[in-house]
Amino acid sequence: MAKPSEHLIQLCQAAVKAERQATSQPYSKEGWAPWLDAAKAFQRAVTAEAGNGDRYALEQAAKKAVLHPEPDES
């Protein structure tokens, strides 16, 4: 499985946070703009980081790390 960078995970976290904020209130162009911007930044970073590799696998790995983190084994 692809291993996303910490930067990519941070961008994914920002997009998820912005989505939750945007969808917690009635739709407005201004209210959704931060989410759309964060999502675009994440997608650009996925494309850049994947290079000629498997872009889909990298995106899914980042989303899994953010949305379904593995429990700490400490």
Side-chain angles (χ1 to χ4, degrees), residues 8 11 36-46:
L8 195 61
L11 287 172
L36 298 175
D37 292 342
K40 286 177 190 175
F42 172 63
Q43 292 298 324
R44 281 192 301 268
V46 169

Side-chain angles (χ1 to χ4, degrees), residues 22-33 35-36:
T23 58
S24 70
Q25 47 197 311
Y27 171 78
S28 74
K29 187 174 182 177
E30 299 81 23
W32 280 38
W35 172 25
L36 298 175

Side-chain angles (χ1 to χ4, degrees), residues 2-25:
K3 176 89 169 108
S5 68
E6 186 61 33
H7 176 69
L8 195 61
I9 290 173
Q10 290 171 353
L11 287 172
C12 186
Q13 288 170 330
V16 167
K17 182 179 177 184
E19 176 186 13
R20 288 180 180 149
Q21 178 66 29
T23 58
S24 70
Q25 47 197 311

Side-chain angles (χ1 to χ4, degrees), residues 49-74:
E49 193 168 311
N52 290 329
D54 188 348
R55 187 192 175 293
Y56 177 79
L58 183 62
E59 179 180 352
Q60 293 308 305
K63 287 180 178 182
K64 181 179 179 191
V66 171
L67 299 173
H68 307 287
E70 295 292 324
D72 289 335
E73 294 187 25
S74 28

